[in-house]
Amino acid sequence: MSDLQPGAHGEAGLTRGAVDLQRYTHSLMGTYGVPMRVLARGEGSWVWDADGNRYLDLLGGIAVNALGHAHPAWVAAIAHQAGTLAQASNFFATEPQIRLAERLLDLAQAPPGSRVFFANSGTEANEAAFKMARRTGKGTIIALEHGFHGRSMGALSLTAKEAIRAPFAPLLERVVFVEPTDEAALRAAVAEAGDDLAAIILEPIQGEAGVRPVPHAFIAAARELTLRHHALLIMDEIQTGVARTGAWFAHQLGGIRPDVMTLAKGLGGGFPIGAVVAFGETAGALLTKGDHGTTFGGNALAAAAALATLDVIESEDLLANAKAVGEHLRTSLEAIDGVVEVRGEGLMLGIGLAHPAAATIAAAAVEAGFIVNPPSPDTIRLVPALTLTRPEADLFIAWMAEHGARLITEGSA
């Protein structure tokens, strides 16, 4: 077995992990079911489980580990900040917090008057954006079918998936859902809302729906309509942001600037942090003293981790790597029997299958030493580290060509 090649490892190689999983089920709530493995350490795009088996991580903590695992610059930045000042509360400011806000405004090409709010997660960032919409004094928010914005009560109110909404109804009112491919339905919903339209919220690429890009014409229509009605266009870039698509932020690929952008996941490179970027003076002034807050948001340790992540993305030219390796994955996977399309941008890809074999493929992949994700029955999602190399990508391509194609065919039986 080469240094790159993951090894096949089934139940016989999971002695310690099996014991740890029993401990897990007896001590943690069952909100995630039983995990596939107990992971012990990582390096780059590779992780090792409790029994020493190695896996090529093509899920990246669900688009979180932008630099892979244990990147030396990221580790050093966190260690240095932890030895200096980690948390100070938001009664005080810290230099890393200020510098990160300035950096995000610069990368987003935000105009004068723009401002940043820091949170701890994507859900919290969307909660803040939701409150900004309410702060306009208007009530109706339009969101998209198949979208996902989080599981807190506010963010869940913006999320269309009935299976996760129903147990917690009633949710917040005056949220209207439209199909992301139906521009006529969007225009009708806006006309129905009239002067009560507070915001339209959307993901440029719907990750949890199976990596499905929202058509550019639809986003352009949303921008036109929100400008006309003096409403907010909120871009949820929690999964698409921070170089994931080969641009710093996915909306930059289409040249459409939102009023509000939410970030998390890859921003901290593995350390929990969320952010809201408000573009311009009007959006930047919506939340004022006492309107919102969070104890840990923007703490110095999280800010240092995020700054290190952004520094490495720039210094190692990971935007270009995301484009190049992503395109190599796309063209190679599209040539495999049973793959009907590869959707997405950069290193946010959804492998569309001819038959609903995604769960079977994901289970077989982890046994062979690859970590992928089946967000829908006919889609495999890849959101690996932005540092993923072409030889590492080729390992999964070869496995899919040899084994994935067969499993897709068997899925049609």
Side-chain angles (χ1 to χ4, degrees):
M1 183 172 64
S2 72
D3 288 342
L4 278 181
Q5 185 66 45
H9 28 71
E11 295 180 2
L14 299 174
T15 306
R16 170 66 183 275
V19 173
D20 287 345
L21 285 176
Q22 285 185 332
R23 294 169 57 205
Y24 178 99
T25 58
H26 284 99
S27 58
L28 279 86
M29 291 186 185
T31 51
Y32 306 108
V34 178
M36 291 183 290
R37 298 289 190 272
V38 175
L39 298 183
R41 66 183 182 93
E43 182 180 341
S45 290
W46 298 89
V47 292
W48 286 259
D49 67 20
D51 294 289
N53 301 305
R54 187 168 71 157
Y55 307 80
L56 182 61
D57 182 6
L58 298 171
L59 184 57
I62 314 182
V64 167
N65 300 316
L67 309 181
H69 300 276
H71 191 287
W74 183 85
V75 172
I78 291 176
H80 173 76
Q81 192 63 48
T84 305
L85 181 70
Q87 164 71 359
S89 90
N90 283 307
F91 291 119
F92 302 90
T94 66
E95 195 274 340
Q97 176 193 57
I98 297 167
R99 188 152 53 94
L100 178 59
E102 292 171 339
R103 187 77 167 277
L104 289 175
L105 292 173
D106 180 60
L107 293 174
Q109 301 174 347
S114 302
R115 297 290 186 270
V116 175
F117 173 82
F118 287 120
N120 307 298
S121 67
T123 292
E124 286 193 4
N126 281 337
E127 287 287 335
F130 197 169
K131 291 178 76 172
M132 292 172 72
R134 287 286 194 250
R135 207 69 176 86
T136 65
K138 298 183 283 186
T140 300
I141 298 177
I142 296 174
L144 301 190
E145 297 284 357
H146 320 294
F148 182 84
H149 301 289
R151 293 178 181 269
S152 60
M153 293 298 281
L156 190 57
S157 298
L158 305 173
T159 296
K161 190 173 183 180
E162 186 61 23
I164 63 175
R165 288 170 57 89
F168 305 103
L171 299 173
L172 299 179
E173 298 177 348
R174 297 162 80 184
V175 177
V176 178
F177 295 102
V178 299
E179 284 287 340
T181 55
D182 193 340
E183 187 180 325
L186 174 65
R187 293 185 180 277
V190 170
E192 177 72 19
D195 291 338
D196 190 54
L197 181 66
I200 297 174
I201 184 170
L202 58 85
E203 303 158 272
I205 302 173
Q206 295 184 317
E208 300 304 311
V211 191
R212 297 186 180 277
V214 176
H216 177 75
F218 186 98
I219 298 176
R223 176 68 288 183
E224 170 212 332
L225 292 165
T226 48
L227 287 172
R228 185 189 306 172
H229 288 266
H230 304 288
L232 300 176
L233 177 61
I234 302 172
M235 291 272 197
D236 178 340
E237 292 240 27
I238 287 161
Q239 193 163 152
T240 56
V242 194
R244 172 60 48 191
T245 62
W248 278 111
F249 311 109
H251 71 265
Q252 294 173 334
L253 294 170
I256 296 175
R257 189 172 72 192
D259 300 297
V260 179
M261 172 175 65
T262 56
L263 300 169
K265 287 192 180 289
L267 178 58
F271 200 98
I273 186 172
V276 180
V277 179
F279 291 78
E281 292 183 0
T282 300
L286 281 171
L287 294 180
T288 59
K289 184 177 179 180
D291 281 344
H292 199 49
T294 168
T295 297
F296 296 105
N299 70 80
L301 193 56
L307 285 166
T309 301
L310 300 178
D311 285 344
V312 172
I313 289 172
E314 284 192 323
S315 66
E316 297 188 6
D317 199 10
L318 296 185
L319 281 88
N321 191 67
K323 290 179 184 177
V325 178
E327 186 59 26
H328 176 60
L329 278 163
R330 179 195 301 276
T331 57
S332 301
L333 291 166
E334 283 177 338
I336 294 174
D337 289 343
V339 173
V340 296
E341 64 175 341
V342 180
R343 302 180 294 270
E345 296 286 347
L347 284 173
M348 182 179 180
L349 299 175
I351 307 169
L353 309 177
H355 304 288
T360 300
I361 290 174
V366 78
E367 294 297 325
F370 300 96
I371 297 175
V372 299
N373 170 248
S376 65
D378 62 353
T379 303
I380 293 292
R381 173 170 51 174
L382 306 180
V383 278
L386 304 179
T387 55
L388 184 76
T389 66
R390 181 166 172 157
E392 289 169 338
D394 284 339
L395 297 173
F396 178 68
I397 293 166
W399 183 86
M400 275 293 292
E402 182 176 356
H403 301 285
R406 172 180 54 81
L407 293 170
I408 297 169
T409 302
E410 291 174 356
S412 66

